[in-house]
Amino acid sequence: MVDVHRTLDAAWKLEAARVVGALTRMVGDVGLAAELAQDALVAALEQWPRDGVPDNPGAWLTTVAKRRAVDHLRRAKRTVAAGEDEQAQEPDSGDDVLRLVFLACHPVLPTVQRVALTLKLVCGLTTEEIARAFLVDARTIADRVALAKRTLASRPPRAAGQLGSVREVIYLVFNEGYSATSGDDLLRPGLCLEALRLGRVLAELVPDDPEVHGLVALMELQASRSAARTGPGGEPVRLHEQNRGRWDQLLIRRGFTALLRARGSGPPGPYVLQAAIAACHAGARSAEETDWARIVSLYDALVHLVPTPVVRLNRAVAVGMAHGPEAGLALVDSLTDDLRDYHLHPGTRGDLLLRLGRHPEAAREFERAATLTDNAAERAFLRRRSTEAAAPVGRVLVDVADEFLARTDLDRSTLRSYAQTLARLRKAVGDRTPIAALTPQDIATMFTAAWSTASPKTWNRHRAAVRSFCSWSGIPDLTSTVERRKEVRNRAQAVELDRVWQLPDAPVRERLLWTLLHESGAPVRAVLDLDVEHLDLPGRRATGPISLRWRENAAHLLPQVLAGRTAGPLFLADRRPGPGRPPREGDLCPVTGRGRLSYERAEYLFKRATGLTLGALRH
Amino acid sequence: MRYLMTSKAGGQAPDERLYQEMGKFVEELTAAGVLLATGGLAPAGIRVSSVGDEITVTDGPFAEAKEAVAGFALVEVRSAEEALELTKRFRRIVGDGESVIQQVF
């Protein structure tokens, strides 16, 4: 089970930062220190397979490497005492590590070199490992490391003030792992782990810097979602669709703790703000409970500090969630010039357009985003979204139904009726059924089960709703096996109606409703939807969204029911609504605070008084 | 990847030196961002078992004190070898006894 090479590799990775840090202090040059460390590794590779792995591999490596450094100093005729001092007073290895990190992340180096050098010297990764993680060939990484060492040898680094550069390198490594910009895997967990560990080490070494804690908090919180953000096929799962049960609570807790440590004097910096945004998501029990208003305000502060187009794009997403897709879209559109060729721009636009029901445009944007991304998993995901947006048939019932019912071109009573039908359909076949998979048989079964004893009128109403839904969502008409039923007017009911007008103690509200229905011939929903401000009493008609006429009996009853009210629903419920069920604003009487009389209640009252249904009054 | 290391109660009773060395070890691993959680376990426990619809609750202790798990550490490491290396360091500090490392999914 013990593989010498792998044991050596593990021991080296645990010790690399401390060993190279100490050697750099001793010989004064990071390049030379790295070479000496390499010598120690070579020695281990020669001796360990022959003599067995030492009891304490880490200590072995440290000792051998330091001995090489002393040998070197002796050969270079430098003061030998340096090596002996070393034995006498072992300085804090934390200082060595910190100095090494600052050196590797030195601002004189180009970013790619900083990253390569840090992973190589501080994390102990091999050139091949770094190359694999960044999907470049090993030669490139070797060159970057060599070049960086040469630069640092000729230019002694300044002492302090480079913490920002260190944070940048760490976050870059993290992001390369977390949102891999290219390649086939969406996540390269190895890089995330390296960055996390490096960040945690830095937070211990520089405990007074709020931004370092902010960076750690940000990474912990983002890493907590890594298991949930890819699906079984490696495809990305968007934040609001992630299974929050799979978020790593341990990392979330660490993230919150780090965020608490980040609280310093003065206004929060960019990492603290981003961590606070991540914390908003981590703290929300469900996607719906996300405090988007707070996230927007955090983004406002972040945009102030880091006014880059990408940050502004993220803010636009938050605004789209807090204030609706139109507000978000306006902001996204204002960034078009700055974010040309950045795949998340059309991707975000596509999302917002989809929410606005502008499918063909959304499809085009997803297609553009797919072309722009270098990540294979993400490209496949965007292509699929594009196809779905172009033809909503690939989508699941609940989503299409919600969009269908969010239409603004239908009056409320129709929508309410459609909603009833679709709610039944969802129960019959399941929310997540793709609408393309619905069959006429499904529909026929539902009609038989739900409405076989209903009146022909009800039957036909539901049938019409399904037909309308099919044609709107672009799937074939599924009612082919559901016969339209012949509607017969019930003469017997008409005769019974006479009885209604003679009921002695019916309240005036009910009598008006019944009379209005009878005199106008309008649908029950339409009459219940009447608002006071739309009544033309002298003209005996309603104007506005619902237009109908009545005759003298209703005209006689109306003023009694109105009782001086000038706005709000004409027909009011008996009681004020409970706190749990706030009605729509238009359904609330400004004078009495009572809600609109519901269809169900009106139907119940009529049935109790007469044994008939309200529909009978229309004939 | 994460590993859980569980250790059975050791032979010798902890002394001042052990406490100090363990404290330093834990501190070091925490600072290195490796140790995520650690703790000791009380010898007494409650066993809950189920067969069919029936649930049985039994109060412990159950085994020889030496066989009972006395402590755990959850570490985040690059490889199994790294977990092994850390466990070896731990064993060198605590002396005679036994630890088990298992990967956490």
Side-chain angles (χ1 to χ4, degrees), chain A residues 1 6-7 10-11 13-15 18 55-58 123 125 193-194 197 200-201 204 248 250-251 254, chain B residues 1-2 28 30-37 74 76-82 84-86 88-89 92:
Chain A
M1 124 124 242
R6 300 178 67 161
T7 308
K13 285 189 166 84
L14 287 170
E15 296 300 328
R18 266 182 297 202
D55 277 349
N56 192 341
C123 303
L125 264 55
L193 179 61
E194 294 301 341
R197 275 168 71 159
R200 290 169 186 164
V201 169
E204 291 286 334
D248 189 324
L250 181 67
L251 291 186
R254 291 181 68 99
Chain B
M1 50 184 85
R2 283 182 188 170
E28 198 182 295
T30 307
V34 170
L35 185 65
L36 297 181
L74 182 66
E76 195 161 49
V77 292
R78 299 180 179 94
S79 59
E81 286 77 13
E82 213 169 275
L84 188 59
E85 171 65 19
L86 293 173
K88 283 187 190 164
R89 290 190 195 179
R92 269 195 288 277

Side-chain angles (χ1 to χ4, degrees), chain B residues 27-93:
Chain B
E27 212 172 279
E28 198 182 295
L29 285 190
T30 307
V34 170
L35 185 65
L36 297 181
T38 184
L41 303 180
I46 301 170
R47 175 168 294 162
V48 183
S49 55
S50 52
V51 176
D53 292 338
E54 205 163 306
I55 297 203
T56 317
V57 178
T58 331
D59 277 332
F62 308 103
E64 292 270 321
K66 271 187 170 176
E67 286 302 305
V69 172
F72 74 93
L74 182 66
V75 292
E76 195 161 49
V77 292
R78 299 180 179 94
S79 59
E81 286 77 13
E82 213 169 275
L84 188 59
E85 171 65 19
L86 293 173
T87 308
K88 283 187 190 164
R89 290 190 195 179
F90 169 76
R91 295 278 13 143
R92 269 195 288 277
I93 296 171

Side-chain angles (χ1 to χ4, degrees), chain A residues 402-591:
Chain A
D402 284 348
E403 270 173 41
F404 177 68
L405 294 173
R407 288 164 68 179
T408 50
D409 55 341
L410 294 173
D411 66 82
R412 279 174 49 210
S413 54
T414 307
L415 280 176
R416 215 154 25 190
S417 158
Y418 283 177
Q420 243 180 25
T421 314
L422 288 176
R424 171 48 54 197
L425 180 60
R426 283 167 51 185
K427 282 186 187 137
V429 301
D431 277 351
R432 311 300 302 171
T433 303
I435 60 165
L438 293 175
T439 63
Q441 186 55 44
D442 290 333
I443 304 296
T445 311
M446 169 178 81
F447 269 80
T448 318
W451 299 305
S452 57
T453 59
S455 71
K457 220 172 145 209
T458 305
W459 175 279
N460 290 339
R461 173 167 68 83
H462 289 300
R463 187 174 173 275
V466 172
R467 286 170 66 109
S468 167
F469 179 68
C470 292
S471 95
W472 182 84
S473 53
I475 54 176
D477 179 13
L478 296 170
T479 60
S480 50
T481 53
V482 179
E483 288 285 316
R484 188 183 153 76
R485 290 191 175 174
K486 201 170 158 100
E487 294 180 25
V488 279
R489 298 262 160 105
N490 191 334
R491 298 269 165 214
Q493 277 195 351
V495 175
E496 278 190 89
L497 270 183
D498 287 342
R499 209 157 46 78
V500 173
W501 316 121
Q502 275 129 43
L503 285 172
D505 35 59
V508 64
R509 178 189 69 183
E510 273 81 324
R511 275 191 287 145
L512 173 64
L513 174 64
W514 304 341
T515 314
L516 253 178
L517 282 169
H518 188 61
E519 290 185 353
S520 69
V524 182
R525 302 268 188 203
V527 172
L528 287 170
D529 274 347
L530 281 174
D531 287 327
V532 176
E533 50 268 52
H534 294 130
L535 302 178
D536 173 5
L537 294 184
R540 290 185 179 175
R541 65 196 177 111
T543 54
I546 301 149
S547 71
L548 49 86
R549 292 175 171 279
W550 57 82
R551 296 196 296 272
E552 64 272 16
N553 286 333
H556 171 69
L557 291 166
L558 261 167
Q560 299 178 47
V561 171
L562 283 174
R565 288 184 293 132
T566 55
L570 170 58
F571 293 103
L572 294 175
D574 301 295
R575 281 187 295 248
R576 293 184 185 198
R581 303 172 54 191
R584 256 176 19 99
E585 203 171 311
D587 284 342
L588 206 61
C589 171
V591 181

Side-chain angles (χ1 to χ4, degrees), chain B residues 16-33:
Chain B
E16 190 58 29
R17 182 198 63 84
L18 182 65
Y19 272 121
Q20 252 182 21
E21 282 189 37
M22 270 308 293
K24 191 163 163 273
F25 185 58
V26 165
E27 212 172 279
E28 198 182 295
L29 285 190
T30 307

